[in-house]
């Protein structure tokens, strides 16, 4: 009997070692990891460069309070600012905390302007922003809210990708629009670049802030550093996590100076956020992701994987309903229950992760090669074949 909370429906498989795209279980089996710890392990497992960085730092200094200057955090923040819309950064340990900071920053910005009534944030159906009380209110998923008391106020939700619904939802209390450019948990729902531009224009027209949740779709996942770059727009605030630490708990809230400056001493804090060890890892991951050709590789591999998946979709028209892909953020909408497909693929030694809308997600490390994809596709084929023959 496990002494852990029973909130996860866990598989019994346990892993003891990873190497690149491969994971090795305690039973000695080798798996292909196309789940990537849910879009986290962007450099795969045990990347030697990052391992060396964390070992070196571990021998020097792990943690100091944020009452001191932390050079590793200064460096990483400056690097993030240099490659994004942002002017300033707050580091966290998780995605939900990055969203919490984004929400607080937006509200505090209007409070500072003597517009404290503007605190409401408009979000989109199918959103996922985390599991804290604030972020479940933002996400609005009824099953995540049920049984946890009154939903935190200040959030309204509209249909996904509906600019007219957004317009209609704006009130004198509106502060910001918050959404994921590509929704991950609800099934790789890719919002059109035109829609992103329309939302930016709408925000400008009404003096609203645009907050993007790029926790899953950002950090190179789509083949650009940030998904908003595909639309050629800039948000005012953005939340990052997952890939930014490559497996070490690290998140960040990025903001333009206009809004970020509202967060004066005393307004926010975190004990661990931005500690030397986490930021050392963050800098090492950044080094690797900013290598020449890294993002081109993601785009190329994304196209190669998507093409292969289209072939499989033709081979298994009764199993595969639709392929949704942008770079290495990939969803396969399937006909059988998604849990059944994920289990069949796991039996074929390929790890994927389920999402809403009966979608199997593939979020492989961004360092996958063509050979890796070929092998993953072979295993996918084997897994699908087992389902097809079970059906027949
Ligand atoms: C994972 C995720 C979060 C929450 O991140 P945690 O680190 O689990 O708190 C928020 N938003 C999106 C889009 C995510 O994918």
């Amino acid at each position: 009997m496990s002494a852990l909370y029973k909130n996860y429906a866990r598989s019994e498989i346990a892993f003891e070692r990873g190497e690149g795209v491969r994971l090795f279980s305690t039973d000695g089996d080798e798996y292909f990891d196309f789940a990537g710890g849910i879009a986290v392990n962007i450099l795969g497992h045990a990347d030697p460069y990052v391992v060396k960085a964390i070992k070196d730092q571990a021998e020097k200094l792990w943690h100091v309070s944020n009452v001191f200057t932390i050079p590793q955090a200064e460096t990483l923040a400056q690097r993030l600012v240099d490659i994004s819309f942002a002017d300033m950064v707050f580091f966290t340990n998780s995605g939900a905390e990055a969203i919490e900071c984004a929400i607080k920053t937006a509200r505090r910005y209007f409070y500072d302007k003597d517009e404290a009534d503007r605190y409401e944030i408009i979000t989109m159906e199918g959103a996922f922003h985390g599991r804290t009380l604030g972020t479940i209110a933002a996400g609005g998923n009824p099953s995540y809210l049920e049984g946890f008391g009154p939903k935190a106020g200040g959030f309204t939700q509209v249909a996904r990708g509906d600019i007219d619904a957004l317009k209609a939802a704006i009130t004198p209390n509106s502060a910001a629009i918050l959404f994921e450019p590509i929704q991950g948990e609800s099934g790789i729902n890719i919002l059109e670049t035109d829609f992103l531009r329309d939302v930016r224009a709408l925000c400008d027209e009404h003096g609203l802030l645009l907050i993007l949740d790029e926790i899953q779709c950002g950090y190179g996942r789509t083949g650009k550093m940030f998904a908003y770059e595909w639309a050629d727009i800039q948000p005012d605030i953005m939340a990052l996590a997952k890939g930014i630490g490559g497996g070490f708990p690290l998140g960040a809230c990025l903001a333009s100076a206009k809004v970020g400056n509202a967060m004066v001493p005393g307004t926010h804090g975190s004990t661990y956020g931005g500690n030397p060890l986490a930021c050392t890892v963050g800098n090492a991951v950044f080094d690797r992701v900013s290598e020449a050709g890294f993002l081109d590789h993601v785009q190329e591999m994304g196209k190669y994987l998507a093409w292969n998946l289209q072939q499989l979709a033709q081979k298994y028209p009764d199993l595969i309903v639709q392929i949704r892909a942008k770079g290495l953020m990939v969803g396969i909408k399937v006909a059988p229950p998604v849990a059944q497909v994920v289990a069949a693929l796991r039996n074929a030694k390929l790890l994927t992760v389920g999402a809403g809308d009966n979608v199997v997600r593939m979020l492989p490390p961004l360092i996958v090669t063509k050979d890796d994809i070929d092998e993953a596709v072979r295993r996918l084929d084997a897994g699908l074949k087992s389902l097809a023959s079970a059906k027949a």
Side-chain angles (χ1 to χ4, degrees):
M1 261 289 273
S2 172
L4 294 170
Y5 266 38
K6 300 179 200 338
N7 57 315
Y8 299 112
R10 297 176 193 272
S11 149
E12 275 166 22
I13 301 169
F15 297 103
E16 60 182 8
R17 190 167 66 82
E19 195 183 316
V21 69
R22 290 175 172 77
L23 274 174
F24 300 90
S25 71
T26 47
D27 304 333
D29 288 327
E30 180 235 67
Y31 288 81
F32 251 54
D33 186 8
F34 269 47
I38 315 193
V40 167
N41 300 297
I42 58 173
L43 301 176
H45 298 279
D47 179 88
Y49 179 79
V50 182
V51 168
K52 181 172 185 326
I54 196 170
K55 275 186 176 167
D56 290 349
Q57 186 60 38
E59 288 173 359
K60 287 189 243 168
L61 183 66
W62 295 21
H63 173 83
V64 291
S65 159
N66 277 303
V67 304
F68 298 105
T69 294
I70 300 175
Q72 296 87 350
E74 300 283 347
T75 302
L76 184 56
Q78 187 59 52
R79 297 173 93 182
L80 292 172
V81 162
D82 288 344
I83 58 154
S84 74
F85 73 95
D87 303 303
M88 52 219 306
V89 180
F90 180 87
F91 287 115
T92 68
N93 315 289
S94 69
E97 288 170 281
I99 294 288
E100 291 277 348
C101 178
I103 295 164
K104 285 180 71 175
T105 303
R107 289 184 177 178
R108 188 73 187 199
Y109 165 72
F110 285 106
Y111 170 88
D112 239 27
K113 296 208 310 160
D114 279 330
E115 295 180 78
D117 287 348
R118 293 182 70 174
Y119 55 81
E120 203 158 80
I121 296 182
I122 306 170
T123 65
M124 268 169 229
E125 284 169 12
F128 179 74
H129 298 302
R131 294 290 208 144
T132 62
L133 289 168
T135 56
I136 58 175
N141 182 336
S143 68
Y144 293 174
L145 286 157
E146 187 183 343
F148 299 115
K151 178 182 162 192
F155 299 96
T156 44
Q157 196 159 57
V158 301
R160 171 178 61 232
D162 184 340
I163 196 74
D164 293 324
L166 273 176
K167 268 182 210 160
I170 296 171
T171 72
N173 299 118
S174 302
I177 297 172
L178 159 65
F179 68 101
E180 309 151 70
I182 302 177
Q183 290 185 341
E185 301 301 309
S186 64
I188 312 295
N189 294 302
I190 305 170
L191 293 167
E192 305 274 344
T193 51
D194 278 349
F195 174 74
L196 264 68
R197 288 188 202 112
D198 290 347
V199 177
R200 178 69 268 181
L202 190 65
C203 286
D204 291 342
E205 189 186 328
H206 293 270
L208 302 179
L209 300 176
L210 175 58
I211 308 173
L212 293 180
D213 180 343
E214 293 225 12
I215 290 167
Q216 192 161 151
C217 66
Y219 238 69
R221 174 63 49 192
T222 67
K224 297 228 186 243
M225 195 62 188
F226 305 113
Y228 70 76
E229 294 172 33
W230 291 105
D232 248 329
I233 57 149
Q234 302 208 318
D236 300 289
I237 303 172
M238 174 170 70
L240 296 175
K242 296 202 162 101
I244 191 176
F248 198 90
L250 177 63
C253 175
L254 280 64
S256 67
K258 181 181 91 170
V259 290
N261 277 328
M263 300 300 273
V264 295
T267 51
H268 198 45
S270 165
T271 299
Y272 288 127
N275 67 74
L277 197 57
C279 288
T280 295
V281 175
N283 277 304
V285 171
F286 190 101
D287 288 342
R288 296 278 279 100
V289 174
S290 52
E291 278 167 14
F294 189 94
L295 296 173
D296 292 338
H297 174 80
V298 176
Q299 291 190 25
E300 204 181 314
M301 291 305 109
K303 283 189 190 131
Y304 187 63
L305 177 57
W307 182 85
N308 274 281
L309 295 178
Q310 293 297 352
Q311 306 305 304
L312 282 181
Q314 284 172 26
K315 186 169 174 185
Y316 298 103
D318 295 343
L319 297 178
I320 296 181
V321 178
Q322 191 188 31
I323 307 295
R324 302 168 180 173
K326 187 97 178 164
L328 288 171
M329 187 159 186
V330 176
I332 309 169
K333 186 168 160 75
V334 291
V338 62
Q340 200 180 316
V341 179
V342 169
L345 298 181
R346 198 190 298 136
N347 286 336
K349 304 290 184 283
L350 176 67
L351 302 179
T352 58
V353 55
D357 201 24
N358 217 48
V359 164
V360 175
R361 264 180 297 176
M362 288 188 140
L363 303 160
L366 306 184
I367 46 112
V368 282
T369 63
K370 269 192 160 169
D371 285 350
D372 294 333
I373 290 174
D374 288 342
E375 179 58 28
V377 167
R378 270 193 289 277
R379 296 180 187 203
L380 183 56
D381 194 349
L384 292 172
K385 194 179 282 169
S386 73
L387 282 170
S389 51
K391 240 178 112 186

